[in-house]
């Protein structure tokens, strides 16, 4: 059975958070982490230790603005006798000004070849061509940015992106 966890790090202060996950044999878990750094420093370190036949998907979605800094580290470890494990590491970041930055470090310590492992990092700015296209369809700049953010992070519920709206000023858009 697949277990899903949601972690939202929208606090108004700097954070340094460690998450240690010890998987049981045949456990299948997905972590969805959302981080916003609004003139803050935020660090998250996720360590996953696998048992045989375990599966872990770690999705970290981040937005950085107003001189924010986000440091994301994901490490999965699989010992030699732990076979048939599945590892997925996905880091997505959106930088909304020139003074903010996101650092991402997906790592894997694997001591056998009987696993299925993937990692990806996608960090960038709002695509100006997409923004222009949406604005040409009669959306305001703020509406277009919001739509692109919702799409980029697959945000469905308003509570998942309301904090972003509350912290985006018109001059940043």
């Amino acid at each position: 059975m697949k277990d899903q966890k949601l972690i939202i790090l929208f606090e108004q202060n700097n954070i340094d958070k460690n998450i240690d996950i010890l998987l049981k044999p045949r456990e299948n878990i997905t972590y969805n982490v959302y981080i916003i750094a609004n003139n803050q420093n935020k660090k998250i370190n996720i360590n996953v230790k696998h048992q045989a036949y375990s599966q872990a998907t770690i999705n970290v979605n981040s937005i950085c603005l107003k001189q924010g800094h986000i440091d994301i580290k994901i490490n999965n470890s699989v010992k030699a006798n732990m076979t048939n494990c599945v590892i997925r590491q996905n880091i997505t970041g959106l930088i909304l000004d020139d003074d903010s930055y996101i650092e991402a470090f997906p790592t894997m310590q694997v001591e056998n070849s009987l696993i299925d492992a993937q990692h990806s990092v996608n960090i960038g700015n709002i695509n100006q061509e997409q923004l222009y296209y949406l604005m040409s369809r009669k959306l305001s700049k703020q509406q277009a940015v919001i739509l692109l953010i919702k799409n980029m992070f697959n945000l469905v519920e308003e509570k998942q992106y309301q904090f972003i709206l509350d912290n985006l000023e018109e001059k940043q858009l």
Side-chain angles (χ1 to χ4, degrees), residues 9 19 32 36 39 48 51 55 58 86 92 105 137 139 144 148 151 160-162:
L9 302 174
I19 300 171
N32 294 304
I36 295 179
N39 193 24
V48 182
Q51 299 288 326
Q55 298 181 32
I58 310 295
V86 177
T92 304
F105 304 95
R137 300 293 186 251
L139 291 176
L148 291 170
N151 182 60
Q160 292 177 313
Y161 62 88
Q162 187 59 47

Side-chain angles (χ1 to χ4, degrees), residues 23 27-29 48 50-58 76-79 82-90 107-120:
L23 295 176
E27 186 173 9
N28 182 350
I29 193 161
V48 182
H50 286 264
Q51 299 288 326
Y53 297 93
S54 62
Q55 298 181 32
T57 301
I58 310 295
N76 280 258
S77 62
V78 180
K79 298 292 182 193
M82 302 298 165
T83 60
N84 298 305
C85 296
V86 177
I87 299 170
R88 300 285 181 265
Q89 299 176 344
N90 305 300
T107 60
M108 299 178 195
Q109 297 172 335
V110 179
E111 296 177 7
N112 72 55
S113 61
L114 298 175
I115 66 160
D116 179 2
Q118 296 176 355
H119 66 201
S120 67

